[in-house]
Amino acid sequence: MATHSPLGATVFTDGACSGNPGPGGWAAVVARPEGRVHELGGFAPQTTNNRMEIIAAIEALTALGTDAGPVLLWTDSKYVLGAAGGWIAGWKRRGWRKADGIPVLNQDLWERLDPLLSARIVWRYVPGHAGNLGNTRADEIAVAFSKGRPVTLYDGPRAAYPYLEREPPTSGA
Amino acid sequence: MATHSPLGATVFTDGACSGNPGPGGWAAVVARPEGRVHELGGFAPQTTNNRMEIIAAIEALTALGTDAGPVLLWTDSKYVLGAAGGWIAGWKRRGWRKADGIPVLNQDLWERLDPLLSARIVWRYVPGHAGNLGNTRADEIAVAFSKGRPVTLYDGPRAAYPYLEREPPTSGA
RNA sequence: AGACACCUAAUGUC
DNA sequence: GACATTAGGTGTCT
């Protein structure tokens, strides 16, 4: 299965956090079906790795817009994947409590992600640090933001973008 | 209150189970009043965490012998603690049924533990994974057995044994 | 409803 | 080698 769907958008997201908790960064590589790619990123002075992973997904989907076509979103966070894949629905049913009755963490972010969810988004796992180009590039941007290092965010034609040619090594659940 | 009684034996027991149910291990650190310490451990290919916790206590008390002096037995299992502390007596009275009438589980093990019980044994709770040395060492041995990893079981003088000097951080019910 | 224990998985770091 | 961020579950009793 290809890294991107020719009829929809392809997205790679990642989060980073020096120290965890500590200063964090998030990143998204967004390839639109019209043939343009742009990279997004951001910083938070005090956060957690998981919050950065969630924000990366929120920002990517927000940038694409709710009325966009199909989206193939790759992340290495089983936390985000599980939430999007059904946990959020269960948490809402239980009043934002986990299975053990303790309140879910990061509810504020899940309530921002929830209205962005839809069947047109296909959520896919990509293993971190396994050589996948899109994930590696997103990691690079997120880490740069988390450390206050400069990064140049690409915004241009897909034909000239070097991080979307290969497939992820695996695509487990 | 000290981790050991100078006039009796001190024991730390623990159980582990990869997967739960799955392959399990049990362990006991037995410090005899004569000044020797020996470590015990064992494996079961398919079991539960609670069965391993019970077996650890059975094996420790069996090794000490029924005619030994006072025993201070530390465990992190409220299940074992409750059973030894009176549940077994109630179950026997009710024909090995719980309060709701459903048969008690692990009856085979409780019937092995029952004849080892006596007033000379003081059962004490030690919280798991809270830094207590004896509990941590028992955990290490039990996990090693459960995963088939090699462990060297100590058998020697107490003066040279490094896992019995400090007190448990708490000793609630 | 409560309690203790045993895990499973991914990521982020040091 | 260690720890933190987060979720899912089973084993068992009161």
Side-chain angles (χ1 to χ4, degrees), chain A residues 21 48 50 91 98-99 105:
Chain A
T48 69
N50 287 329
W91 293 336
K98 294 185 295 178
L105 297 184

Side-chain angles (χ1 to χ4, degrees), chain B residues 153-166:
Chain B
L153 298 180
Y154 182 86
D155 187 348
R158 174 170 182 144
Y161 189 74
Y163 302 114
L164 283 174
E165 298 315 307
R166 293 171 105 18

